[in-house]
Amino acid sequence: MADTAPRKGLDRQGFIEREGSLGQVTHDFRPVVAAARDRLLDVFGARMHSAYLYGSIPRGTARVGRSDLDLLVVLRAEPTDADREDARVLGEGLDKEFRRIDGVGTLLYSRARVLSELERYDMGWFLACLCTPLLGEDLAEYLPRYRPDSRLARETNGDLALLLPRWRERIAAADSDEARRPLVRFMSRHLVRTGFTLVMPRWNGWTSDLVEMAEAFGAYYPERADEMRAAAVLGYAPTGDGAVLRSYVDDLGPWLAEEYTRVHGVKAPRPEQTC
């Protein structure tokens, strides 16, 4: 039976509250954020409509030397290969200069794509609920409020089955613990978040904490609870264990993709999937 009482992460009307703020950035990470702001302006200039932080840094939960800097950059036009290269170089420069972070991830989207009907319950929701404005006009003003319902679950993580073949290719190409460690972190986090959004409408709330996500999932799928708890731990403290990655693409991932499709359906296809 679905839970009906609102849980954490929702306002009194049952909408997901926006998480994070610049005021929650801890002292250790303020120089990184300031440098990122300045360099984004230098690199993208007038091409950039707005920029956002997301992840542990704007939530105030980042750990020195363990957490990465996550950025969303919204451009006025569709990102080009040159834009992506600029973002890569910018991220590498910040990562090299600031040892307090463990990598930089930058998402690039156009304003039109973020505000499109296709992305309303995926990238639109992501920006409106999980991103903290850093530069420019906040596009959340043009987006609706969101509830933790099945439509949101489907459009955020209903594409796991499509991702698994690409994951297998990346795993096969990783030939060392050093190369596998970021894959363990990324895939662990992705699976935990997908497990959480699978049960999100029944749990009736929102959290970005991997441990809480795993516990919420485990309440509905106790037979898989230990696997998800272990993935949550590796999402924060990854190893380079190839056996873990193989278990993700051979067992937990396929099971989760099938169950997700059964419960919520399949995410609407994106243009890049039909090219």
Side-chain angles (χ1 to χ4, degrees), residues 21-34 56-64 98 100-101:
S21 71
L22 293 180
Q24 291 178 256
V25 176
T26 62
H27 176 79
D28 287 323
F29 293 96
R30 288 174 190 168
V32 184
V33 172
S56 61
I57 289 180
R59 293 199 303 268
T61 59
R63 298 174 295 171
V64 173
F98 294 96
R100 66 198 67 186
I101 58 173

Side-chain angles (χ1 to χ4, degrees), residues 36 40 52-54 69-73 90 94 104-107 134:
L40 285 169
Y52 306 79
L53 299 173
Y54 68 94
L69 173 67
D70 295 309
L71 300 168
L72 166 63
V73 178
L90 183 151
L94 288 170
V104 177
T106 304
L107 300 176
L134 181 64

